[in-house]
Amino acid sequence: MDSLVDSLNNAYQEFVSGAANVLEANEASGAQKTAATDAALENFKQKWELFRVACDQAEEFVESVKQRIGSECLVDEATGSLAGKSGQAAATTTGLPPISAIRLEQMSKAVRWLVIELQHGSGAAAASASAHSHPSAPFDARFTEDATQ
């Protein structure tokens, strides 16, 4: 993460430097379009693009960490792993018994496939999702839809 922050900081510093160079070139030319102002603008454009790439990479990292934390919290809640941390069983806090981590992962994958299919506009999303499921994985007997797989 430190390297990501350093990369973002360096890209920002280069971006600001590029902006300063454009202003200096513009002032030196008397606000006239010259080869120097064009070069400064082109350099600024490159710095802007590099800064955007660094921002995108940082955003992707933050999103992946958010998803990982959310997934870990969801798994902890669903499997009752919070019982040792909070002193209460998950079944008593939510009113639902915990589900297996394997079942949770199966449901998560099925939802992801459905979202992908829906984004691609396929009308066969449900059929595709069931085709992508993993029948070799064990099922949770508490869910009646598992018995049909």
Side-chain angles (χ1 to χ4, degrees):
M1 185 170 91
D2 289 340
S3 65
L4 188 63
V5 171
D6 290 342
S7 173
L8 185 58
N9 184 43
N10 291 339
Y12 175 75
Q13 295 300 327
E14 290 292 321
F15 171 66
V16 170
S17 174
N21 290 341
V22 168
L23 294 174
E24 290 171 1
N26 193 37
E27 186 178 323
S29 71
Q32 298 296 312
K33 183 176 178 176
T34 64
T37 57
D38 286 346
L41 283 171
E42 186 59 36
N43 186 353
F44 176 70
K45 182 180 175 186
Q46 291 173 356
K47 305 287 182 175
W48 165 247
E49 290 299 321
L50 291 173
F51 179 60
R52 284 182 50 196
V53 167
C55 288
D56 288 345
Q57 290 172 342
E59 184 177 15
E60 288 174 9
F61 176 76
V62 168
E63 285 301 316
S64 71
V65 170
K66 282 173 40 178
Q67 287 179 354
R68 187 174 344 139
I69 290 170
S71 295
E72 289 172 1
C73 289
L74 182 61
V75 167
D76 286 348
E77 180 68 26
T79 60
S81 297
L82 293 176
K85 297 176 186 172
S86 66
Q88 296 177 343
T92 60
T93 60
T94 63
L96 299 173
I99 61 173
S100 72
I102 293 171
R103 175 65 183 147
L104 184 63
E105 184 63 25
Q106 288 174 338
M107 292 186 307
S108 176
K109 286 179 184 177
V111 168
R112 271 189 243 124
W113 277 109
L114 285 171
V115 168
I116 290 168
E117 291 295 325
L118 289 172
Q119 287 173 342
H120 287 84
S122 172
S128 178
S130 64
H132 292 295
S133 65
H134 301 283
S136 61
F139 65 88
D140 192 326
R142 291 176 288 176
F143 296 90
T144 57
E145 68 271 14
D146 284 345
T148 60
Q149 288 183 353

